[in-house]
Amino acid sequence: MAREAALAACLEAVLGNRSSANRVFELLEPLAGQEEPEDIVSAARICGRLFGALLERGELFVGPLPEQDASLGESYSAQDKYRIWMRHRYRDCVGCLGELMGHEAFQVKEQALCTLMKFVELEAQYPLIKIEWKGTLTFPCDLLKVVVDGLLPTTEDASLLISRFQEYLEYDDVRYFVMKAVTASIGQVMQKTKERPLPFYQQNVFSLISPINMPNKESEMVKFMVKQDNREELKFSKLQAHRQVFQKMWLTFLKHKLPPGLYKKVLVILHDSVLPYMNEPTLMMDFLTVAYGIGGAISLLALNGLFILVHQHNLEYPDFYKKLYSLLDPSIYHVKYRARFFHLTDLFLSSSHLPAYLVAAFIKRLARLALTAPPEALLMILPFICNLFRRHPACKVLLHRPAGPADMSEDPYVMEEEEPSASRALQSSLWEIQSLQSHYHPDVAKAAAVLNQSLSEMEDDISGLLELSAAELFDREVKKKAVDVPLEFEPVRGLFGKKNDIFAEHFSLD
């Protein structure tokens, strides 16, 4: 408290009398980062008050800043010399605050961030550039770049500090210039890595850009930090310009190789938060193709983006269903992303215009893989297969083929065939489902037996079954109420019928 009181007294002295201007160094000294975190926070807060007041009072030099030594010449008035000198101290303060955004104490990082953003707001109102003509942009882009660079360290996770920054992205102009600054940062940082991922840096970039809420209409862009008289004429007031910068930022980010875990995070939000706000969504084709080649869950999520490009943006991608078919292997019933896999597969196979041979190949492959699937997966996949039959009645030949193969060795279906059209699925039958009708779990046997009957027209809702786990299935069985089972059709009235009753009367112990 004593240190803060001393700093406050120093602040009053500097603001009260220009002859005490040199005492500004007492305020800047703690910002070197060698003090206790509490003292640094106090110094940053008071420096914010000092230079905020100087900006409002117009006591910082406006225009291109001369070198400090050059400003001592006779060509400048005493007032200009003071303003130039104090502008240099302001620049020193900004530099220190930018470095403090990498301090080990979060309270110091947060105070540095908030002080810098206060300066951004004040410089927007009281610009330090000369306005040559009406309509000159006065947004402090260079100062905002210091903030963005501080939010994107290359050696540590800055997600907590980034979450603190999100409130500023609600301003349309701040969001616009942050996206431009991020794009420039990615170009500068990633070109030095020679295609090697930078996990911390790329994760920080994703944490910063993924929550960005883009406006849907130009009429929604009403919240600006800069109060410009002719804002309507400036680029950052146009939705098209916002989308152009947004698209360039994402394409710049995704053209570099990502850490494996980050591919999943990007692909999960791509279809909802990125593609709808791009001017040319088909430019994502290269990234999605590379992501598909990685395999596993990443391939599936990449197919989701490709599906959107094919159906909504007329992209030609003839191997889409072949790639989806190749993802069907024994692991799909056991992996943790099983629910999302089948949710997306259900979406991809929802069209009733798909050829029968293609759907039959998917049905047959899923049924074959079901022979080794756990019960909780079977309770989901059997209604899934039933829904495919409802959408594509031509595939019911797989159910009603009396002269079908007697066992697996006679089955014409070629499981190893990568091309669905050459798998000969339509010449086969679903003997696998018949086998599951004898499954040890009664619920599975019951679900498999549904295919013996005429299917209703209404599809089964499988959304509640996608997340079903073995533990939930066990709990369901344990909580089932026991049902009284009759042992005889008629209750017995004695060992020998009525005679037994008479015998009991004569030989009663009474």
Side-chain angles (χ1 to χ4, degrees), residues 237-292:
S237 300
K238 305 296 182 183
L239 180 60
Q240 189 74 2
H242 267 253
R243 291 195 167 194
Q244 185 176 359
V245 172
F246 179 81
Q247 174 176 287
K248 185 176 180 180
M249 175 186 68
W250 274 103
L251 291 175
T252 303
F253 176 56
L254 297 179
K255 79 176 182 179
H256 300 283
K257 186 178 180 180
L258 302 177
L262 200 52
Y263 272 104
K264 293 181 183 179
K265 294 179 181 179
V266 170
L267 291 167
V268 163
I269 69 165
L270 194 69
H271 63 289
D272 283 333
S273 304
V274 180
L275 291 179
Y277 303 104
M278 295 180 65
N279 287 332
E280 299 177 75
T282 52
L283 293 175
M284 280 290 181
M285 178 67 182
D286 290 342
F287 167 72
L288 291 170
T289 304
V290 170
Y292 174 78

Side-chain angles (χ1 to χ4, degrees), residues 18 21 54 57-62 65-66 71-88:
R18 289 187 178 181
L54 293 175
R57 286 157 49 166
E59 296 189 9
L60 296 181
F61 185 79
V62 176
L65 183 61
S71 66
L72 300 177
E74 296 181 357
S75 58
Y76 293 97
S77 65
Q79 184 172 0
D80 279 344
K81 289 179 181 179
Y82 169 80
R83 289 175 176 172
I84 292 171
W85 186 86
M86 195 57 80
R87 172 87 177 271
H88 277 283

Side-chain angles (χ1 to χ4, degrees), residues 59-262:
E59 296 189 9
L60 296 181
F61 185 79
V62 176
L65 183 61
E67 292 294 331
Q68 191 165 329
D69 293 338
S71 66
L72 300 177
E74 296 181 357
S75 58
Y76 293 97
S77 65
Q79 184 172 0
D80 279 344
K81 289 179 181 179
Y82 169 80
R83 289 175 176 172
I84 292 171
W85 186 86
M86 195 57 80
R87 172 87 177 271
H88 277 283
R89 304 291 77 77
Y90 172 62
R91 189 173 67 173
D92 294 341
C93 178
V94 169
C96 290
L97 291 172
E99 292 181 5
L100 287 176
M101 287 184 67
H103 196 275
E104 59 183 11
F106 179 74
Q107 57 181 329
V108 174
K109 296 179 183 180
E110 184 179 29
Q111 185 60 49
L113 170 65
C114 294
T115 304
L116 285 170
M117 288 309 297
K118 177 184 177 182
F119 290 160
V120 169
E121 185 173 4
L122 287 170
E123 276 200 43
Q125 297 177 31
Y126 309 98
L128 295 177
I129 60 172
K130 286 186 177 180
I131 301 178
E132 302 289 346
W133 59 85
K134 187 177 180 181
T136 300
L137 177 66
T138 59
F139 195 92
C141 300
D142 292 338
L143 181 56
L144 186 63
K145 184 180 184 302
V146 174
V147 176
V148 171
D149 289 343
L151 292 171
L152 302 177
T154 59
T155 57
E156 64 175 332
D157 181 5
S159 56
L160 188 59
L161 188 62
I162 290 171
S163 65
R164 180 66 178 82
F165 179 72
Q166 293 301 323
E167 63 183 78
Y168 297 104
L169 292 177
E170 296 302 316
Y171 291 102
D172 295 299
D173 48 357
V174 172
R175 181 176 60 244
Y176 177 84
F177 290 110
V178 164
M179 290 191 294
K180 295 194 73 170
V182 169
T183 304
S185 173
I186 296 171
Q188 293 170 0
V189 174
M190 295 306 298
Q191 70 178 358
K192 302 175 184 177
T193 67
K194 297 181 180 179
E195 297 305 316
R196 287 183 295 105
L198 281 177
F200 282 118
Y201 176 78
Q202 290 171 295
Q203 177 60 55
N204 290 331
V205 172
F206 179 75
S207 298
L208 179 59
I209 68 177
S210 59
I212 288 179
N213 292 317
M214 285 287 288
N216 292 303
K217 298 179 292 185
E218 205 157 299
S219 59
E220 296 177 0
M221 299 171 60
V222 294
K223 189 175 182 181
F224 294 88
M225 181 178 282
V226 178
K227 305 299 186 289
Q228 297 275 357
D229 294 333
N230 61 333
R231 192 176 60 230
E232 293 76 12
E233 301 174 11
L234 298 174
K235 284 187 68 174
F236 64 78
S237 300
K238 305 296 182 183
L239 180 60
Q240 189 74 2
H242 267 253
R243 291 195 167 194
Q244 185 176 359
V245 172
F246 179 81
Q247 174 176 287
K248 185 176 180 180
M249 175 186 68
W250 274 103
L251 291 175
T252 303
F253 176 56
L254 297 179
K255 79 176 182 179
H256 300 283
K257 186 178 180 180
L258 302 177
L262 200 52

Side-chain angles (χ1 to χ4, degrees), residues 41 139 185 230 267 339 345 354 363 428 442 452 472:
V41 169
F139 195 92
S185 173
N230 61 333
L267 291 167
T345 304
L354 295 175
I363 291 175
S428 182
N452 292 339
E472 292 172 333

